[in-house]
């Protein structure tokens, strides 16, 4: 996280929050988003059960309700969410559909 803040410090805002990369580097997206604030211009939803095992976004470590609340309260983020799911490269559609439904539920 510090390297991202150092990189964008004196520049125009622009950071992509990739929840999977943050989890794998020991960072919590819930701590990253408030620190980046309006620098968040993109967001990739990826989730892990642990360092090795990918999960459908919202079924592992990622708290979708908390994430969406932080995006609304801590940023001016207004871009599409990108869903990343590579555990079933041959048929990711069911996992993506499950994630879309979970995001919709979290928005209510």
């Amino acid at each position: 996280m510090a390297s991202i803040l150092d990189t964008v410090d004196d520049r125009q805002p622009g950071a992509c929050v990739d929840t999977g990369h943050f989890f794998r580097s020991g960072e919590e997206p819930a701590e990253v988003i408030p620190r980046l604030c309006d620098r968040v211009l993109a967001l990739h939803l990826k989730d892990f059960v642990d360092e090795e095992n990918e999960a459908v976004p919202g079924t592992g470590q990622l708290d979708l309700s908390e994430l969406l609340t932080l995006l609304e309260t801590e940023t001016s983020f207004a871009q599409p969410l990108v869903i990343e799911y590579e555990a079933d490269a041959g048929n990711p559609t069911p996992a993506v559909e499950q994630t879309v439904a979970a995001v919709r539920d979290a928005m209510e």
Side-chain angles (χ1 to χ4, degrees), residues 44-96:
H44 294 182
L45 292 177
K46 189 165 184 147
D47 203 354
F48 287 90
V49 174
D50 54 41
E51 258 187 55
E52 302 292 321
N53 298 297
E54 185 176 356
V56 173
T59 65
Q61 300 174 56
L62 183 61
D63 182 331
L64 289 173
S65 294
E66 178 182 46
L67 178 81
L68 295 173
T69 297
L70 287 170
L71 288 173
E72 184 176 1
T73 62
E74 302 290 331
T75 76
S76 57
F77 184 77
Q79 302 298 321
L81 301 175
V82 175
I83 299 169
E84 290 188 47
Y85 185 71
E86 300 167 278
D88 186 358
N91 187 21
T93 302
V96 171

Side-chain angles (χ1 to χ4, degrees), residues 4-69:
I4 293 170
L5 288 172
D6 288 344
T7 301
V8 298
D9 187 35
D10 294 325
R11 295 171 180 81
Q12 292 294 321
C16 175
V17 171
D18 186 314
T19 58
H21 286 294
F22 282 116
F23 282 133
R24 293 182 94 184
S25 66
E27 301 272 358
E28 292 290 328
E31 294 173 9
V32 171
I33 290 170
R35 291 175 64 193
L36 289 172
C37 299
D38 287 335
R39 295 181 188 277
V40 178
L41 298 182
L43 192 128
H44 294 182
L45 292 177
K46 189 165 184 147
D47 203 354
F48 287 90
V49 174
D50 54 41
E51 258 187 55
E52 302 292 321
N53 298 297
E54 185 176 356
V56 173
T59 65
Q61 300 174 56
L62 183 61
D63 182 331
L64 289 173
S65 294
E66 178 182 46
L67 178 81
L68 295 173
T69 297

